Amino acid sequence: MDETSGSKPISTRLERIAMLARQLRDQPLTTLAHHIDLDWLREAYRRTRKDGATGVDGQTADEYAVHLEDNLRSLLERAKSGTYRAPPVRRAYIPKDNGEMRPLGIPTFEDKVLQRAVAMVLETVYEQEFLDCSYGFRPGRSAQQALDVLHREASKMAGGWIIEIDIRRYFDSIDHERLREVLGGRIRDGVMQRLIGKWLNAGVLEDGAVTRSEAGSPQGGVVSPILANIFLHEVLDVWFHRDVRVRLQGRAHLVRYADDAVMLFEYEEDARRVMAVLPKRFGKYGLTLHPDKTRLVAFKRPDRLPLPLMRGGDDGSDEPGTFDFLGFTIHWGKSPMTGKWVVKTRTAADRFRRALKRISEWCKANRHEPLETQQQVLNQKLRGHYGYYGRKGNRARCGSLQHRAVREWWRWLRRRSQRGLSWDAMSRLLQRYPLLTPAAARPA
């Protein structure tokens, strides 16, 4: 079967759903599940990653594909009849920068396909609702665009006052009942509501036991990003634009990427008023702001700050008010061309350390591999890093990672034998197996 055969009719149906959502913008949508048929599931299967980890049943994508048509027909029948049973997700963990472990939930492959089918409907409906301030997990939008908007607005406003918003354990804290209420304002289709309810209640399998909770949408689930976006759209985005901005004295902007968000205010008084009501707003929906990481930062252009604030940030740093967003530290600096103050971005310290640690650990584990293989993999890692962090003004920081990567590579190559490896020998090796520089990685 040609996997792309259903793409055109599916795109036509997606546009119909979008048109319906626009026409009935303020009304609940009651008939959506009929769009999910066998062709729709085939497209959902095509869009589902085939190389992901397996769920509780251990079934791989290749195994599911052996009897694909029969499996999809069975899945469709069970989903529509209400007999589909959402299996619990398998618990896995990945390390965080602070040494803690981030929990992930891994669904079965079949569950991923059905979640993708439902997510396709939800995404199409809510793309007509979402505001311009949100950039995470949305088609045609990216973290780089969010950073561009923040950079532009901060520059136009000569800085201002920043509220960094940090939601404590957001994905684990989404209240199921409140999420259903938010969804019910727009989605009243019984099949869709029932399936989403089953995923929320499926639970997590860990150490042989299944646990269920009244809160949380496991990271790793296909439908989780759109549900999380829908919830914060109501909790934060709509509230900010409908209720907050109209009561402020000056200009204000919200930029959100998934659960990472910052607010920029022209006036300190406005920022402090919003800062005071934020915990109550989030608490209304069962969410808690991190008391230390949610903070107010004076981000006015340094030559416009009072002298005490020019001497250093409120976090004890030597810089006047910096903040982190999407892996970057946003700060003021002098333009080397004009000497004027400009908004700049550099790789955040924790992200830099994490990138270097991963490179070092890989070099240690693979130091006996052929040098050509090591060079290829290291350059892939560097190219990926430059691809995200290689923003204008951040080349020095990217160059620093390349320099440190060379040192780490040398450190572990020296341990391949008792004879070691001198730096002169390493320099000759680098002539034959150079590591990619930020300049060389830039597209033509």
Side-chain angles (χ1 to χ4, degrees):
M1 183 189 71
D2 181 1
E3 285 189 335
T4 63
S5 60
S7 297
K8 186 172 182 179
I10 296 302
S11 64
T12 301
R13 273 189 275 175
L14 287 169
E15 181 52 42
R16 288 176 186 166
I17 295 173
M19 185 181 302
L20 178 67
R22 290 192 294 269
Q23 292 172 347
L24 304 177
R25 189 174 297 276
D26 298 322
Q27 302 177 40
L29 303 177
T30 58
T31 55
L32 291 170
H34 69 280
H35 292 285
I36 302 178
D37 58 11
L38 197 56
D39 285 337
W40 193 279
L41 284 184
R42 289 192 188 105
E43 177 65 12
Y45 167 80
R46 187 185 72 82
R47 297 187 185 191
T48 302
R49 279 186 57 187
K50 311 300 190 296
D51 58 348
T54 59
V56 295
D57 62 355
Q59 187 179 47
T60 66
D62 289 341
E63 291 169 345
Y64 192 82
V66 172
H67 303 289
L68 180 61
E69 289 298 303
D70 290 339
N71 287 334
L72 294 181
R73 287 192 182 93
S74 172
L75 178 60
L76 180 64
E77 180 182 347
R78 285 176 284 139
K80 292 297 183 69
S81 66
T83 60
Y84 180 78
R85 296 183 62 184
V89 297
R90 181 172 65 84
R91 176 66 81 208
Y93 293 90
I94 59 173
K96 296 172 64 175
D97 294 334
N98 59 8
E100 298 178 359
M101 301 298 287
R102 183 189 304 277
L104 295 179
I106 303 174
T108 64
F109 182 78
E110 180 176 70
D111 205 44
K112 291 177 184 178
V113 173
L114 187 55
Q115 286 192 34
R116 175 61 64 195
V118 171
M120 286 162 58
V121 178
L122 293 176
E123 288 167 357
T124 305
V125 170
Y126 277 94
E127 270 303 305
Q128 319 313 312
E129 307 286 325
F130 288 153
L131 302 178
D132 285 342
C133 62
S134 68
Y135 292 86
F137 305 117
R138 293 184 58 187
R141 291 185 162 233
S142 68
Q144 298 296 333
Q145 290 175 332
L147 289 161
D148 288 342
V149 168
L150 182 60
H151 184 280
R152 182 178 68 246
E153 296 301 332
S155 298
K156 285 165 54 177
M157 206 180 289
W161 295 80
I162 292 286
I163 294 179
E164 283 187 86
I165 297 175
D166 188 283
I167 308 170
R168 177 175 278 171
R169 299 173 62 85
Y170 173 61
F171 282 87
D172 297 332
S173 303
I174 299 175
D175 184 274
H176 292 174
E177 188 59 36
R178 286 180 170 82
L179 175 59
R180 290 190 186 95
E181 291 174 2
V182 170
L183 282 168
R186 196 69 170 116
I187 307 295
R188 295 278 179 87
D189 182 284
V191 173
M192 300 277 288
Q193 289 181 326
R194 185 168 59 242
L195 286 172
I196 292 170
K198 288 182 177 183
W199 286 318
L200 293 176
N201 296 325
V204 176
L205 177 66
E206 186 173 15
D207 297 330
V210 176
T211 57
R212 293 178 173 83
S213 172
E214 293 300 315
S217 180
Q219 294 185 68
V222 175
V223 79
S224 291
I226 181 63
L227 293 180
N229 247 357
I230 291 169
F231 201 49
L232 275 185
H233 168 72
E234 178 67 26
V235 175
L236 182 59
D237 303 356
V238 172
W239 172 72
F240 181 81
H241 286 83
R242 181 190 61 201
D243 300 332
V244 173
R245 287 211 303 187
V246 295
R247 293 177 170 86
L248 302 180
Q249 299 178 29
R251 293 171 293 172
H253 296 275
L254 167 67
V255 181
R256 179 175 68 83
Y257 187 94
D259 60 330
D260 289 326
V262 294
M263 293 176 176
L264 172 64
F265 299 88
E266 184 176 7
Y267 298 133
E268 179 182 3
E269 181 182 351
D270 287 339
R272 293 195 180 279
R273 286 171 57 202
V274 174
M275 185 74 170
V277 299
L278 270 179
K280 183 177 179 180
R281 174 64 184 180
F282 279 82
K284 178 181 177 181
Y285 290 85
L287 301 174
T288 304
L289 295 178
H290 196 291
D292 300 321
K293 296 180 181 178
T294 299
R295 64 191 191 111
L296 179 63
V297 180
F299 194 67
K300 293 296 292 182
R301 205 170 71 194
D303 59 349
R304 297 190 180 185
L305 279 173
L307 186 60
L309 287 175
M310 288 188 67
R311 290 173 177 165
D314 59 3
D315 56 358
S317 69
D318 293 331
E319 296 179 273
T322 66
F323 65 96
D324 287 355
F325 185 55
L326 299 179
F328 289 88
T329 295
I330 317 298
H331 64 103
W332 286 97
K334 291 289 188 72
S335 167
M337 301 294 294
T338 65
K340 296 181 179 179
W341 287 105
V342 294
V343 177
K344 292 189 172 186
T345 56
R346 65 168 180 263
T347 311
D350 60 341
R351 298 299 183 91
F352 186 91
R353 288 192 299 267
R354 183 172 68 180
L356 186 61
K357 180 180 179 182
R358 288 178 175 174
I359 288 173
S360 180
E361 290 175 346
W362 189 91
C363 289
K364 176 183 178 181
N366 296 274
R367 62 186 183 274
H368 295 293
E369 294 294 319
L371 292 175
E372 184 177 1
T373 300
Q374 294 188 50
Q375 179 210 26
Q376 290 175 351
V377 174
L378 288 172
N379 279 339
Q380 289 174 359
K381 293 179 181 295
L382 290 172
R383 182 176 287 107
H385 186 88
Y386 302 154
Y388 182 79
Y389 290 101
R391 291 179 61 85
K392 182 180 179 181
N394 195 40
R395 182 181 292 190
R397 194 72 164 157
C398 289
S400 179
L401 181 70
Q402 190 263 1
H403 174 74
R404 297 284 295 275
V406 167
R407 305 295 293 189
E408 288 300 307
W409 194 22
W410 177 46
R411 181 161 76 98
W412 291 109
L413 287 179
R414 289 169 64 187
R415 303 189 183 191
R416 295 211 304 183
S417 68
Q418 293 182 344
R419 292 180 298 173
L421 182 70
S422 69
W423 178 247
D424 286 342
M426 182 67 186
S427 299
R428 291 192 295 272
L429 183 150
L430 287 169
Q431 292 177 2
R432 184 174 181 183
Y433 303 105
L435 293 191
L436 196 65
T437 65
R442 177 188 289 182

